[in-house]
Amino acid sequence: MTIPMSGADIGDAEVDAVVGVLRSGALSIGPQVELFEAAAAKVANTSHGIAVSSGTAGLHLGLIAAGVTPGTAVITSPFSFVASTNVILYEDAIPVFVDVQGTTGNIDPQLVAQAADALAAGGVVASEWLPPNAVTPVVLKTILPVHVYGEMADMTSISATAKRHAVTLMEDACEALGARNDGSPAGSCGDAAVFAFYPNKQMTTGEGGMIVTSRDDWAALFRSLRNQGRDVHDAWLRHSRLGYNYRLDEMSAALGLVQIRRIEELLANRARVAGWYHDRLSGIDEIVIPPRPSASERSWFVYVVQLGDDVDRDQVMRELQDRGVPSRSYFEPIHLQPYIRERFGYRPGMYPVAERLGRISLALPFSGTLREAQVEHVCGALRAALSSSDRRRQG
Ligand SMILES: *Cc1c(COP(=O)(O)O)cnc(C)c1O
């Protein structure tokens, strides 16, 4: 039995839609992008969707709209895919990491509040929250929480902090299309949010991303920035500002439009697979598993279990592989990535919760197209690997 780590759910409708674009001759700046944007805004309960070439591109433009410039600060999570911090570095700004919650891996809202207060106070108080190599003073420009694994960060609390300090709030919702927090959909809680459509996400466009916002001023700015800085009323070769080519092409948008129209079905399929895992793994003492799908507002992006602190994860991964089961360690904390350490002077031990999660987390094969027999096989292989790990420890 071969088991893929992840996989997109592409049907005939998707294939037909892409072929239709190819036959139409309108391959960029056409109707598919507009339809896709409207559908995405609806899912996020916002007034605007702005399609872009990747989630990373969308986050980059979000920070530009937030006024992030060299030397300013962005409060964000060290437990994320590296793109959420890279975009801060694109603008030569300073990522101010705060640690995460051990249960969800999401940024700790209390620490966000403390960090924002400290940065506002300045001086020594602020420097305790800054990277070791950063020079004070810095001005906080925006807060960028990440909805890790499809579960939203505590947006009620974080948005209260943003309001109190009169800074904007961006959601990295790249892993959370369709998720909710106290009933509010991902994408609706900040000044802007970004979804991503790489093939392992809940829905795909191949490569691609989407900014959603209810701010008219930001929506217009995003449309300009993604299109070489051209304003709507600019003549074809007239550019009002420095921009980028972050456009999404029509083939990708056509694919995305079919996928987003199927989003309820795609999410339900993923939740069903998560349920199969839940049924089979909930009896195992050695691991901590995510909440039961029916009891959660999560949009299932990955299925990640936490191993015991004394389990040799590499060995477990090797034994899974021997049984044909791929797995991944999620995430290596961002502050310990080599170039981030070198630039900002971070050391192990500075964000202990993120670091522990980075050591014990294991992502199992996951997609909406996995079959129950495949999940059964993965769980059998995991049980075997854990019991051989038990035996090794007992000696
Ligand atoms: C996938 C992802 C991104 C980036 O998306 P791309 O489309 O690959 O650029 C950003 N942040 C997080 C948390 C992600 O999981």
Side-chain angles (χ1 to χ4, degrees):
M1 185 180 303
T2 58
I3 299 181
M5 188 62 212
S6 65
D9 180 345
I10 304 287
D12 290 343
E14 281 86 344
V15 173
D16 291 346
V18 174
V19 171
V21 170
L22 292 172
R23 295 200 193 288
S24 79
L27 306 189
S28 187
I29 313 188
Q32 299 295 323
V33 162
E34 282 176 32
L35 291 168
F36 182 33
E37 290 175 339
K42 197 159 166 234
V43 169
N45 198 18
T46 57
S47 345
H48 307 280
I50 300 93
V52 285
S53 51
S54 70
T56 308
L59 290 168
H60 183 201
L61 298 190
L63 294 190
I64 293 173
V68 171
T69 51
T72 61
V74 178
I75 294 178
T76 193
S77 172
F79 192 69
S80 170
F81 180 60
V82 72
S84 57
T85 290
N86 281 349
V87 292
I88 300 170
L89 305 195
Y90 294 170
E91 292 304 313
D92 222 349
I94 298 166
V96 175
F97 294 126
V98 306
D99 213 347
V100 297
Q101 299 171 313
T103 44
T104 61
N106 278 327
I107 199 164
D108 184 327
Q110 242 98 49
L111 295 179
V112 171
Q114 287 172 29
D117 292 349
L119 292 178
V124 202
V125 183
S127 64
E128 278 175 21
W129 290 85
L130 292 172
N133 292 351
V135 277
T136 41
V138 301
V139 177
L140 176 64
K141 279 291 174 179
T142 193
I143 304 176
L144 178 62
V146 181
H147 304 321
V148 174
Y149 304 160
E151 175 156 338
M152 287 178 69
D154 179 351
M155 294 309 288
T156 311
S157 169
I158 297 169
S159 107
T161 298
K163 284 213 175 66
R164 195 154 49 77
H165 286 279
V167 298
T168 53
L169 177 58
M170 296 273 314
E171 292 171 70
D172 180 341
C174 290
E175 302 188 354
L177 181 72
R180 290 178 175 267
N181 178 221
D182 287 338
S184 302
S188 67
C189 303
D191 291 83
V194 179
F195 300 117
F197 307 123
Y198 186 75
N200 71 337
K201 312 276 180 181
Q202 287 89 333
M203 57 158 277
T204 189
T205 57
E207 297 286 353
M210 181 74 70
I211 314 174
V212 290
T213 181
S214 289
R215 289 183 59 159
D216 298 344
D217 55 339
W218 278 25
L221 181 59
F222 291 140
R223 290 183 198 290
S224 170
L225 287 171
R226 78 166 168 193
N227 192 23
Q228 305 284 16
R230 215 172 268 147
D231 270 329
V232 189
H233 49 263
D234 279 348
W236 183 243
L237 288 177
R238 168 51 98 73
H239 306 269
S240 297
R241 57 178 61 78
L242 173 65
Y244 303 84
N245 178 359
Y246 284 169
R247 294 184 304 264
L248 188 71
D249 65 74
E250 286 283 289
M251 289 77 76
S252 302
L255 171 54
L257 182 59
V258 177
Q259 291 258 291
I260 207 163
R261 285 177 174 161
R262 292 177 61 204
I263 194 67
E264 293 298 330
E265 174 207 341
L266 295 177
L267 295 179
N269 289 345
R270 298 175 81 91
R272 189 177 50 161
V273 174
W276 291 334
Y277 272 121
H278 192 93
D279 294 343
R280 287 164 178 78
L281 298 179
S282 46
I284 305 181
D285 294 336
E286 294 105 317
I287 57 173
V288 176
I289 61 172
R292 181 182 293 281
S294 57
S296 136
E297 294 185 295
R298 178 186 298 241
S299 157
W300 290 87
F301 168 52
V302 280
Y303 197 88
V304 176
V305 301
Q306 299 177 1
L307 305 179
D309 286 293
D310 47 1
V311 173
D312 180 347
R313 183 178 58 187
D314 290 343
Q315 179 66 24
V316 168
M317 291 174 73
R318 275 193 296 273
E319 289 190 31
L320 288 174
Q321 194 59 65
D322 290 344
R323 292 174 169 87
V325 175
S327 61
R328 301 269 186 279
S329 52
Y330 258 59
F331 296 103
E332 172 119 15
I334 296 173
H335 65 286
L336 297 181
Q337 299 287 345
Y339 66 104
I340 303 273
R341 274 182 83 157
E342 190 175 319
R343 177 153 170 182
F344 293 107
Y346 286 114
R347 294 176 304 277
M350 297 183 104
Y351 300 95
V353 183
E355 289 169 31
R356 174 165 181 267
L357 287 179
R359 280 192 302 273
I360 65 172
S361 299
L362 184 70
L364 301 176
F366 189 71
S367 71
T369 55
L370 272 193
R371 287 175 286 109
E372 191 165 10
Q374 293 175 305
V375 171
E376 177 73 34
H377 181 79
V378 173
C379 295
L382 180 61
R383 245 182 256 114
L386 289 172
S387 67
S388 78
S389 154
D390 271 351
R391 277 197 302 281
R392 264 196 315 281
R393 267 177 296 140
Q394 282 153 16

